[in-house]
Amino acid sequence: MSELHLTTLMPFVYTLVVPFFYKYIRRIHTGWFVLPLPILLFVYLIKHISLVARGKPIIHSVPWIPSLGINYTINIDGLALIFGLIISGIGALVVLYSIYYLSKDREALQNFYVYLLLFMGAMLAVVFSDNIIVLYLFWELTSISSFLLIAYWYQRKSSRYGAQKALLITMFGGFLMLGGFLLLANVTGTFSIGEMILQAGKIKEHPVFLPAMLLILLGAFTKSAQFPFHIWLPDAMEAPTPISAYLHSATMVKAGIYLIARFTPIFGGNMAWFWAVSGIGLFTLFWGAFSAIRQRDLKAVLAYSTVSQLGMITCLLGLGSVAMYYGPGESSALYTSAILAAIFHLLNHSTFKGCLFMVVGIIDHQTGTRDIRRLGGLMNLMPVTFTLAVIGSFSMAGLPPFNGFLSKEMFFTSVLNASHLDIFHMETWGIMFPVIAWTASVFTFIYCMIIVFKTFTGKYHPQKLERKINEASWGLLLPPALLALLVVLFFFFPNVLARYLLIPAMASVLPDFGKTGFVVDPIEAWHGWTPELLMTIGIVAIGTLMFVYLRKWISIYARLPVQFSLNNMYDQLLVKTEAFSARLTRAYMTGFVRDYLLYIFAFFVVVLGGIMLFLDTFAYDPAANNPISIYEIILALAMVVCALMVLFARTRLVAIIGVGVMGYLVAMFFVVFRAPDLALTQLVVETVTTVLFLLCFYFLPELKEEAGSIGLRATNLAVAAGVGVIVTAMALSAQGNRLFAPISWFFENSYELAGAKNIVNAILVDFRGFDTMFEILVFSIAGLGVYTLIKLLTRRDQE
Amino acid sequence: METLMSVIIGVLFAIGVYLLLAKSLLRIILGTSIIAHGTHLLIITMGGLKSGAPALLGKKAAAFTDPLPQALILTAIVINFALTAFLLVLAYRAYLTLGTDNMEQLRSSKNE
């Protein structure tokens, strides 16, 4: 266990303590006890920045299941560190914010913080783990903690619906991703991502390259809410706002992006990867921005905007993967900058979106609503909140002097570069990229304006609100203010950030390039009158016009058919699946014991018969047979006759006598087979059993002809005959197959070991004494059962 | 000998299973008894038949039959006895309480 392991697992340890804080120290908000942990983690991770920036990844390994090659290896490289800082940094701010957001008197805080810490620990483990199995494990744990947090107010139906949707979609992707992981592990023979990257060439030539890639991408797309899996994210907004700010905009939804970035060294440079990642990303960017405008709930606007921004980052990662096609050198510098833009925007998005979510949370907290139609004119009442909203929104819209402007410009540079590509069919489709990106950015601009101006300007409607509006307390304002400060700082000092965080992260996305050093232009706000700047100006001009005349064209949303919407399809799928499985279950769970027995025996026949047929395990060796004497043939014939007699018996007495005779015949077989103890026991037991049968049959009704259709009987007969054949085949094979030497010689020492001359008795009472003891126990339980069943009856009769 | 025994065991199992699938409770109990007989014979047949003297050291024989299957069967006989006794009393009790020994009428009407 290294210090690193202990630190990253601290949140899990902390979850054990938090409920006690809540239970015993109710006067102080539980959040204050949680707050130091993310802060400490953040500071601890900051210490590693300089080491990682010098290109020294930090690797520590703890064996977990060494026999399977599963080790808990922590690998902190540039990419992991950026995520680690976001997780712990935003985590600290969110905890601080939640202290003022959630009332300590009304809310179940212990649940909230336990889930939150569970998530924090899991997410840190996801980004730090080098082992894909460990990664998968914690990946699913983030889905589960997200589920718990969305359903935090579980009394609400919509919370439960959203939680279930998020869980179903992300887990669906998670399972597929596991499949992809296992395919990769199968090819490379390792579970370590680092070692897989070294074998990237081998994977590229293997036929499983495409299936593994698609499976892993599905995992990433479901988690990062990419089209068409984005539908879970808006419903996840039922979670408390601090959670939306943390999980559903800053961290968890970026796990998919992390995965894409992490696997770029393995899959990058391939046409399918390029189109899947950048194409889906681009469309998600457009669709998210387009859908955001029709929303009435501020959080829903932000949810769709998160979908859209995640699409943009995904698209950038796809564009950047082209660099892998060209390999390190001058020609790929155009495309490596897309990776830089992706990582930069990832960080920027966490700052401005976190800030905006907290602002919306403040509005909700102070006014009691997030509905745009009820809000308006809050600017004078909440000036600080307004300022923060402007900073966040304008940054998201891509305006200076905020960090979103820089990364948006870099995004435009990347799509413009991509339109000049002459590989991967980009010569025909390349122009699509800047066009769609620009259109999407216009919509982005419009919804950013909606957030600011529909809420803070216009007419104030006090009659629509339930309470009087005040500015929020400093505790609620501080966390978004800190984020807003970062938004501005990143704009003025982007190159410091690039040197210590972004370029080391790039080095982990493109490891081959890191060795030779990147050709990176410094990030600047002013490049002169470039096409990118003209695009931004165009966005502002067209966007402003469209925002002003929003009323005129917003009706187009109403024309989109509802029944073809993805949400409707999801609901239908759920309903249909439930109905189908209910029907299926009803079809075979008939409630008749006979049917269940039939399934069991049919299964027995099919599985054992199948194994004997296909694995060629049936063996028959008549030479090993011992000779048969005439007595044995007579015994055998008698046995069969008795069995048939039982089968066709019309009266109870005949059947019972038949079974009794069979028992005695078995005893005689034992005599022939030189098992005197068995013969004696069998004689005694059979006598008692027959007496028991005779006692009971007096009370039982007369045997009736078995009614039932021919088909039913034929099935019974077929299954019964099948079992008979299989058992015979098994008995014969047991003779022919001697896999191991018998262990029976051991018992021939029974006189020395146990002082017994009768070996069978020695086994029962000495070598396997415990077995016999438990046998007696079973016997006693059966005896108790018999006694109780009879006694209970008489007592009821008396009543 | 082993081949003959294997065939008989198969016949016992087939008849036992057929009875087990019947509706009458008594037939089901008879079926379990027959399957039990078949199982005992199966175990002893798998161990090899008549390959030596009874497993008694006092006999000073050159070879003994395999004592391990015999020990297993001894346990099985006794357990089977307990099972049969319990099943019989259960059937008796069920019949007295519910007035039928037909499996199809013994179903509960709930949870369907």
Side-chain angles (χ1 to χ4, degrees):
Chain A
M1 268 292 185
S2 68
E3 178 189 295
L4 214 56
H5 282 89
L6 287 179
T7 323
T8 49
L9 293 177
M10 264 313 274
F12 295 116
V13 180
Y14 222 74
T15 52
L16 301 176
V17 201
V18 164
F20 293 102
F21 282 132
Y22 179 73
K23 192 158 189 248
Y24 294 110
I25 315 177
R26 287 299 290 270
R27 276 179 303 109
I28 305 170
H29 197 285
T30 316
W32 289 116
F33 299 108
V34 180
L35 186 59
L37 183 75
I39 294 180
L40 279 176
L41 282 172
F42 187 69
V43 173
Y44 178 78
L45 288 173
I46 280 195
K47 277 197 338 198
H48 289 83
I49 287 182
S50 63
L51 204 61
V52 171
R54 267 182 274 139
K56 290 210 179 72
I58 302 155
I59 298 180
H60 288 284
S61 192
V62 170
W64 182 20
I65 315 175
S67 56
L68 298 178
I70 298 175
N71 302 314
Y72 188 8
T73 307
I74 284 192
N75 175 16
I76 299 195
D77 56 3
L79 188 66
L81 188 65
I82 268 203
F83 272 92
L85 287 171
I86 294 177
I87 295 162
S88 54
I90 307 260
L93 294 177
V94 160
V95 171
L96 177 63
Y97 181 80
S98 69
I99 293 172
Y100 292 90
Y101 189 81
L102 293 172
S103 151
K104 73 172 190 288
D105 304 317
R106 285 196 305 273
E107 304 287 355
L109 292 175
Q110 82 281 29
N111 292 350
F112 182 83
Y113 287 111
V114 165
Y115 302 158
L116 189 81
L117 286 169
L118 207 61
F119 167 76
M120 196 183 287
M123 189 71 202
L124 280 173
V126 165
V127 298
F128 287 158
S129 168
D130 177 61
N131 188 293
I132 47 174
I133 298 298
V134 178
L135 190 151
Y136 170 74
L137 182 82
F138 286 110
W139 177 282
E140 295 293 38
L141 191 55
T142 62
S143 289
I144 291 169
S145 50
S146 155
F147 168 80
L148 291 169
L149 284 164
I150 298 169
Y152 174 66
W153 285 312
Y154 55 83
Q155 302 86 345
R156 299 179 189 170
K157 191 162 178 278
S158 52
S159 292
R160 299 196 300 270
Y161 173 78
Q164 189 200 34
K165 199 174 193 177
L167 191 75
L168 282 179
I169 294 181
T170 51
M171 286 252 166
F172 162 75
F175 279 132
L176 297 182
M177 184 184 83
L178 179 65
F181 283 174
L182 293 179
L183 285 180
L184 279 188
N186 223 359
V187 177
T188 57
T190 172
F191 286 119
S192 153
I193 298 175
E195 285 169 33
M196 279 181 183
I197 290 173
L198 295 179
Q199 300 187 41
K202 187 176 163 190
I203 299 172
K204 281 206 170 84
E205 273 146 34
H206 204 277
V208 306
F209 176 82
L210 197 66
M213 184 191 94
L214 290 177
L215 288 173
I216 290 176
L217 275 182
L218 279 170
F221 287 166
T222 47
K223 196 80 163 179
S224 276
Q226 297 297 295
F227 187 88
F229 305 110
H230 65 277
I231 50 171
W232 69 266
L233 192 59
D235 285 306
M237 291 299 128
E238 293 298 330
T241 304
I243 294 310
S244 309
Y246 189 35
L247 269 73
H248 303 127
S249 81
T251 53
M252 191 187 85
V253 289
K254 296 209 171 83
I257 287 175
Y258 168 80
L259 199 73
I260 294 174
R262 191 47 97 198
F263 280 87
T264 297
I266 295 177
F267 296 117
N270 175 282
M271 183 168 90
W273 175 265
F274 169 80
W275 274 105
V277 177
S278 62
I280 295 277
L282 190 70
F283 189 73
T284 310
L285 164 66
F286 167 76
W287 189 251
F290 178 70
S291 306
I293 292 172
R294 71 186 302 189
Q295 306 305 320
R296 295 282 163 269
D297 179 351
L298 276 176
K299 264 179 99 172
V301 177
L302 288 184
Y304 277 104
S305 101
T306 304
V307 169
S308 160
Q309 302 282 319
L310 291 171
M312 176 171 152
I313 302 172
T314 308
C315 178
L316 278 169
L317 285 175
L319 295 176
S321 73
V322 176
M324 300 266 301
Y325 179 85
Y326 289 111
E330 282 293 320
S331 55
S332 61
L334 283 175
Y335 310 108
T336 51
S337 66
I339 300 279
L340 181 70
I343 296 163
F344 190 32
H345 195 71
L346 177 99
L347 199 60
N348 293 345
H349 178 251
S350 296
T351 55
F352 65 68
K353 189 54 69 63
C355 170
L356 278 177
F357 262 111
M358 291 178 185
V359 163
V360 169
I362 290 172
I363 294 169
D364 192 11
H365 194 258
Q366 300 303 111
T367 66
T369 182
R370 305 188 304 250
D371 193 325
I372 297 177
R373 286 164 296 189
R374 290 167 67 190
L375 293 168
L378 298 180
M379 186 162 65
N380 297 326
L381 295 161
M382 305 167 80
V384 184
T385 314
F386 169 68
T387 318
L388 296 175
V390 167
I391 294 175
S393 299
F394 283 21
S395 176
M396 182 153 72
L399 301 177
F402 307 111
N403 58 5
F405 172 73
L406 296 178
S407 43
K408 199 64 165 268
E409 295 272 289
M410 288 162 78
F411 171 60
F412 287 146
T413 315
S414 302
V415 288
L416 287 172
N417 285 337
S419 65
H420 303 310
L421 268 176
D422 52 3
I423 52 166
F424 302 158
H425 304 303
M426 281 296 278
E427 58 276 17
T428 34
W429 296 101
I431 190 67
M432 201 179 78
F433 275 79
V435 171
I436 296 182
W438 185 83
T439 321
S441 300
V442 172
F443 286 116
T444 307
F445 181 85
I446 299 171
Y447 71 68
C448 289
M449 295 308 115
I450 290 178
I451 294 171
V452 175
F453 293 107
K454 296 270 178 192
T455 319
F456 290 98
T457 61
K459 244 175 97 187
Y460 174 47
H461 316 285
Q463 74 282 2
K464 286 187 188 172
L465 301 172
E466 284 138 18
R467 46 186 106 151
K468 212 168 160 322
I469 312 297
N470 297 311
E471 182 58 281
S473 64
W474 70 269
L476 277 177
L477 289 170
L478 182 67
L482 284 175
L483 287 173
L485 185 69
L486 285 179
V487 168
V488 180
L489 277 181
F490 286 177
F491 175 79
F492 288 105
F493 306 102
N495 292 310
V496 180
L497 203 66
R499 192 173 147 208
Y500 286 104
L501 286 176
L502 306 182
I503 293 179
M506 258 173 100
S508 21
V509 181
L510 302 167
D512 293 342
F513 297 68
K515 287 167 202 145
T516 49
F518 288 100
V519 193
V520 180
D521 298 325
I523 306 169
E524 279 168 28
W526 177 251
H527 294 278
W529 294 97
T530 54
E532 293 86 335
L533 189 63
L534 295 177
M535 280 168 90
T536 305
I537 292 172
I539 288 166
V540 174
I542 306 279
T544 313
L545 268 178
M546 284 177 77
F547 174 66
V548 171
Y549 294 106
L550 190 61
R551 268 169 205 288
K552 306 251 190 237
W553 59 275
I554 196 141
S555 57
I556 60 159
Y557 287 102
R559 297 209 189 137
L560 297 175
V562 178
Q563 65 268 36
F564 293 118
S565 75
L566 289 164
N567 275 315
N568 188 48
M569 271 149 72
Y570 165 85
D571 292 338
Q572 286 302 315
L573 185 72
L574 218 57
V575 170
K576 295 258 164 66
T577 322
E578 274 174 18
F580 173 74
S581 59
R583 232 182 13 251
L584 187 71
T585 311
R586 269 201 298 278
Y588 74 88
M589 298 301 284
T590 54
F592 291 111
V593 176
R594 178 238 171 210
D595 290 342
Y596 302 147
L597 283 173
L598 211 60
Y599 302 149
I600 295 173
F601 287 124
F603 190 75
F604 172 82
V605 171
V606 169
V607 169
L608 283 182
I611 288 175
M612 282 191 208
L613 263 180
F614 293 109
L615 299 183
D616 204 23
T617 45
F618 178 72
Y620 176 47
D621 180 15
N625 271 355
N626 283 299
I628 312 176
S629 68
I630 184 79
Y631 302 110
E632 290 150 12
I633 295 182
I634 294 173
L635 278 180
L637 282 176
M639 193 82 172
V640 173
V641 169
C642 281
L644 290 172
M645 193 168 98
V646 177
L647 187 61
F648 293 112
R650 299 206 169 232
T651 58
R652 294 166 292 175
L653 203 56
V654 174
I656 291 167
I657 290 173
V659 171
V661 174
M662 282 176 78
Y664 291 122
L665 287 172
V666 170
M668 288 168 89
F669 267 120
F670 288 150
V671 173
V672 174
F673 297 150
R674 296 176 190 136
D677 305 273
L678 294 190
L680 283 174
T681 319
Q682 178 69 24
L683 277 176
V684 173
V685 164
E686 200 50 49
T687 311
V688 183
T689 312
T690 309
V691 170
L692 247 173
F693 262 111
L694 290 173
L695 263 178
C696 279
F697 104 103
Y698 174 73
F699 297 98
L700 285 174
E702 187 56 54
L703 279 179
K704 282 183 215 87
E705 194 71 21
E706 286 283 316
S709 66
I710 302 286
L712 209 69
R713 286 192 194 193
T715 327
N716 287 1
L717 193 66
V719 169
V723 171
V725 170
I726 292 292
V727 171
T728 302
M730 232 165 67
L732 291 174
S733 306
Q735 293 299 316
N737 279 332
R738 285 271 174 235
L739 294 178
F740 311 102
I743 56 166
S744 305
W745 57 267
F746 175 80
F747 301 109
E748 291 182 7
N749 295 328
S750 73
Y751 191 69
E752 290 84 54
L753 293 169
K757 287 187 176 169
N758 183 335
I759 303 176
V760 176
N761 282 1
I763 294 174
L764 285 176
V765 298
D766 194 302
F767 297 120
R768 307 294 306 164
F770 270 115
D771 288 359
T772 309
M773 199 185 83
F774 287 120
E775 181 195 343
I776 295 169
L777 185 69
V778 171
F779 212 81
S780 326
I781 293 171
L784 270 176
V786 169
Y787 178 78
T788 325
L789 281 174
I790 295 171
K791 266 288 167 194
L792 269 177
L793 194 70
T794 49
R795 201 181 306 150
R796 189 194 281 179
D797 286 348
Q798 282 160 6
E799 277 166 9
Chain B
M1 184 75 228
E2 280 86 351
T3 312
L4 177 68
M5 288 312 293
S6 303
V7 173
I8 290 180
I9 291 162
V11 171
L12 290 189
F13 264 89
I15 293 175
V17 168
Y18 189 80
L19 286 172
L20 211 57
L21 294 170
K23 287 174 199 141
S24 154
L25 211 48
L26 185 62
R27 279 208 174 88
I28 291 178
I29 300 172
L30 292 170
T32 56
S33 273
I34 293 179
I35 289 182
H37 290 322
T39 314
H40 299 158
L41 291 177
L42 176 63
I43 296 175
I44 202 162
T45 307
M46 280 175 156
L49 297 173
K50 299 199 292 183
S51 54
L56 300 170
L57 290 174
K59 293 273 179 185
K60 298 264 190 297
F64 298 112
T65 51
D66 196 337
L68 198 57
Q70 297 190 15
L72 287 175
I73 295 170
L74 205 58
T75 312
I77 291 174
V78 177
I79 296 275
N80 177 52
F81 171 62
L83 180 75
T84 311
F86 185 75
L87 273 178
L88 272 172
V89 175
L90 195 65
Y92 155 72
R93 176 67 210 271
Y95 180 62
L96 278 202
T97 315
L98 303 166
T100 177
D101 77 330
N102 187 331
M103 287 306 287
E104 302 206 346
Q105 290 163 8
L106 283 174
R107 308 163 65 196
S108 107
S109 54
K110 276 179 273 171
N111 306 323
E112 284 186 70

